[in-house]
Amino acid sequence: MPRQEIELSRRQDESYDVLLRRAEGVARSAVQRVFDQDIVVTEVAITIVGKNGGTSVPILRLQVTRQLWQREPDPQRWATYFPMSRMLLGL
């Protein structure tokens, strides 16, 4: 199963909720790209790491099978969120 870790830096004055929505979009694109590039892949895991200043912590992990993704390509449905990330990033 392909696994990717993608770093996403917080933009100036960006709230945690906006960073999280952006992370979901990045994860959605990454999952789709993996499935589009390799028809043999049946499952993928993407971890989005949020960065704020010098701190980096995982904010979500999206792991999904091709079959489930084709049925419902919604990152919120398949993502695991890390609730402590907001505090750890100082947001």
Side-chain angles (χ1 to χ4, degrees), residues 1 3 14 43 51 74-75 88:
M1 168 177 50
R3 297 174 189 274
E14 184 175 46
E43 187 173 7
K51 293 182 70 176
D74 179 0
L88 293 171

Side-chain angles (χ1 to χ4, degrees), residues 2-8 23 26-27 30-31 44-50 57-63 80 82:
R3 297 174 189 274
Q4 290 183 13
E5 186 174 288
I6 300 169
E7 288 189 349
L8 195 60
V26 169
V31 167
V44 64
I46 307 291
T47 301
I48 305 295
V49 176
V57 297
I59 55 177
L60 73 83
R61 182 167 194 265
L62 200 164
Q63 183 171 341
T80 300
F82 302 97

Side-chain angles (χ1 to χ4, degrees), residues 2 7 23 42 47 55 70 77 87:
E7 288 189 349
T42 59
T47 301
T55 305
Q70 287 174 339
R77 172 77 169 96
M87 183 199 65

Side-chain angles (χ1 to χ4, degrees), residues 11-91:
R11 295 178 179 153
Q12 186 175 359
D13 299 324
E14 184 175 46
S15 71
Y16 182 78
D17 292 333
V18 172
L19 176 64
L20 193 56
R21 296 294 85 81
R22 209 160 47 93
E24 290 168 347
V26 169
R28 177 189 305 114
S29 296
V31 167
Q32 192 62 56
R33 189 170 39 255
V34 169
F35 286 145
D36 288 348
Q37 289 176 351
D38 190 344
I39 61 169
V40 178
V41 171
T42 59
E43 187 173 7
V44 64
I46 307 291
T47 301
I48 305 295
V49 176
K51 293 182 70 176
N52 186 33
T55 305
S56 298
V57 297
I59 55 177
L60 73 83
R61 182 167 194 265
L62 200 164
Q63 183 171 341
V64 66
T65 65
R66 181 184 295 271
Q67 183 179 19
L68 291 174
W69 187 254
Q70 287 174 339
R71 193 175 327 145
E72 193 174 354
D74 179 0
Q76 290 182 347
R77 172 77 169 96
W78 311 114
T80 300
Y81 296 88
F82 302 97
M84 293 299 295
S85 297
R86 179 188 303 253
M87 183 199 65
L88 293 171
L89 289 172
L91 302 171

